[in-house]
Amino acid sequence: MRGIEEDEDLPHLWQKPAYSVILEALEKLRVEPPVWGAKVSRSEIIKQQAAVQTAHERKEAIAFLSSIIKSGLSWLGDDDEREVIWEEASKRMSERCGRTAMGEIIRSWPFENPDYGSFSLTIREPPLTGDSLGLKTWGSSYALAQRLHEFASGPLAHLVRSSQKTEEVLELGSGTGLLGLAAASIWRKTVYLTDLPEIMSNLEHNASLNRALVEERGGRVEAAPLTWGGSEEEVDPRFRSGKRFELIIVADPLYDDDHPALLASAIDEQLALNPDARVLVMVPQRDEITKGLCRTLRAELGRHTNPLICHHENIVDGEDDWGDGNNDDSQQVGFWWGILGRSS
């Protein structure tokens, strides 16, 4: 939030302020969606945003926004100008109602480590509507992405860095694409970003936004539809032959009771039979429901003809903005990660 200086009042509509004056005031009231990381936590960012204005100033801001939305703005002679002011005021109001109330947002997610240098990925998130959870960037994607270099020098070194390394990686349930784009940039691989057909437009957009950066770093990204358990029309031809990928990555993939079985089948269909092939998965432990879905996934992965077993696992602390943004405690999440492979 940019904030209003103490000696600077919000314009009064009864004074019929000019279009540029109102627009400038609305811009100063903008609340940026938080991006957290190793150096600053989500709760710290929210506290910093809240500290910009006093409680009285926040009430004044809401009253100002409400007055604009209710006003006919008749002194502005241009219909287009009135529409712009109403739209911006509505955006400022929604920004104060949590992530789920916001419209489209664009966030820049930073990465920095001596192993790979520093870069940022630009991710667009359309408005959240209905069950389109794939249009949001979840905290687990960022938490897993920030640890990719550790896996590359540890339990996945044989696939990422050795002379026998794989050149292609498949991401299932990519959502907005943050994890897969980070993997392409850090591991310098070709990463296939996949999700439901209705998610593809935004996923392809984010792939295009970051393609130049990824390629400068030695990686490559392609976006294509892949519906778990879907018909032939819902699966790109590149994935129909199956058993092709030696490395699959997945983050926060479980939201319904049928997801563990569907995901397990998709992994079994796409993971190579090579005993060195691996799946890297992260599932947030938000509550008993998500913990139960995680247990079910592990059980489902062990039921196939070529069952998968867990070689490495851990739970790491992280942050998410799953909720409405008003309760900082609810955003502290434990993220379970596991590396699984075919049993020999």
Side-chain angles (χ1 to χ4, degrees):
M1 188 190 305
R2 290 165 173 78
I4 302 292
E5 299 295 332
E6 289 184 4
D7 60 348
E8 182 181 356
D9 293 328
L10 291 167
H12 298 287
L13 296 192
W14 61 267
Q15 294 179 322
K16 300 181 180 180
Y19 168 78
S20 60
V21 173
I22 303 175
L23 195 62
E24 182 182 3
L26 290 172
E27 178 62 24
K28 290 178 179 177
L29 291 174
R30 183 186 298 273
V31 178
E32 300 291 351
V35 175
W36 57 94
K39 295 183 178 180
V40 59
S41 70
R42 181 182 183 278
S43 59
E44 289 172 341
I45 293 171
I46 292 174
K47 288 176 182 177
Q48 291 168 5
Q49 290 178 337
V52 173
Q53 290 184 316
T54 66
H56 174 70
E57 288 169 336
R58 286 194 290 274
K59 289 180 181 178
E60 280 194 337
I62 292 173
F64 173 66
L65 295 171
S66 297
S67 67
I68 290 177
I69 293 169
K70 291 185 292 184
S71 173
L73 304 175
S74 57
W75 66 92
L76 299 179
D78 191 300
D79 288 341
D80 291 339
E81 289 185 350
R82 283 194 287 268
E83 289 295 334
V84 169
I85 294 297
W86 285 326
E87 182 178 356
E88 288 301 308
S90 297
K91 288 179 180 178
R92 298 297 87 78
M93 186 70 82
S94 69
E95 289 163 4
R96 287 157 170 78
C97 299
R99 170 63 187 98
T100 54
M102 290 185 183
E104 177 182 301
I105 65 174
I106 297 176
R107 295 196 260 193
S108 181
W109 297 87
F111 293 85
E112 184 176 356
N113 189 274
D115 283 357
Y116 55 75
S118 63
F119 64 94
S120 293
L121 294 171
T122 302
I123 301 295
R124 182 183 73 176
E125 302 175 38
L128 294 178
T129 57
D131 294 328
S132 298
L133 297 177
L135 299 178
K136 182 187 184 311
T137 302
W138 301 106
S140 56
S141 295
Y142 194 38
L144 187 54
Q146 289 181 307
R147 291 169 171 81
L148 290 174
H149 66 287
E150 299 174 7
F151 296 118
S153 59
L156 296 179
H158 65 291
L159 293 171
V160 179
R161 292 187 173 176
S162 76
S163 58
Q164 303 300 318
K165 61 187 179 183
T166 184
E167 295 300 329
E168 295 183 328
V169 178
L170 172 66
E171 183 186 16
L172 295 172
S174 298
T176 61
L178 178 62
L179 174 60
L181 289 163
S185 301
I186 295 170
W187 288 348
R188 295 175 171 82
K189 305 291 181 187
T190 295
V191 178
Y192 291 92
L193 313 176
T194 70
D195 213 307
L196 298 168
E198 57 266 30
I199 303 296
M200 290 311 302
S201 175
N202 188 62
L203 184 56
E204 289 170 345
H205 177 84
N206 285 335
S208 296
L209 271 180
N210 296 279
R211 182 164 280 116
L213 181 146
V214 170
E215 292 179 353
E216 285 175 5
R217 297 185 57 84
R220 182 169 166 265
V221 289
E222 297 290 339
L226 197 167
T227 301
W228 310 339
S231 63
E232 187 172 288
E233 293 74 23
E234 297 174 300
V235 178
D236 188 271
R238 286 170 285 188
F239 311 123
R240 292 175 190 166
S241 60
K243 303 292 191 291
R244 168 183 165 186
F245 293 93
E246 292 187 301
L247 183 52
I248 296 176
I249 55 177
V250 199
D252 208 345
L254 309 174
Y255 297 97
D256 290 319
D257 290 341
D258 59 345
H259 284 176
L262 289 171
L263 176 58
S265 293
I267 290 173
D268 182 63
E269 290 169 2
Q270 300 299 328
L271 187 67
L273 293 174
N274 181 343
D276 289 331
R278 294 290 184 266
V279 179
L280 171 60
V281 58
M282 178 173 273
V283 180
Q285 308 290 282
R286 296 188 179 101
D287 48 33
E288 291 306 315
I289 293 176
T290 52
K291 291 176 183 177
L293 291 172
C294 184
R295 289 192 295 269
T296 303
L297 173 64
R298 297 182 66 168
E300 291 289 343
L301 288 169
R303 290 195 179 109
H304 290 271
T305 303
N306 301 109
L308 277 78
I309 60 173
C310 190
H311 294 282
H312 306 273
E313 64 178 306
N314 200 356
I315 294 180
V316 296
D317 294 330
E319 297 181 86
D320 206 352
D321 53 359
W322 168 266
D324 60 10
N326 297 320
N327 183 351
D328 290 346
D329 292 338
S330 68
Q331 314 305 324
Q332 301 298 315
V333 181
F335 295 108
W336 173 85
W337 64 260
I339 295 177
L340 304 95
R342 305 273 189 195
S343 61
S344 54

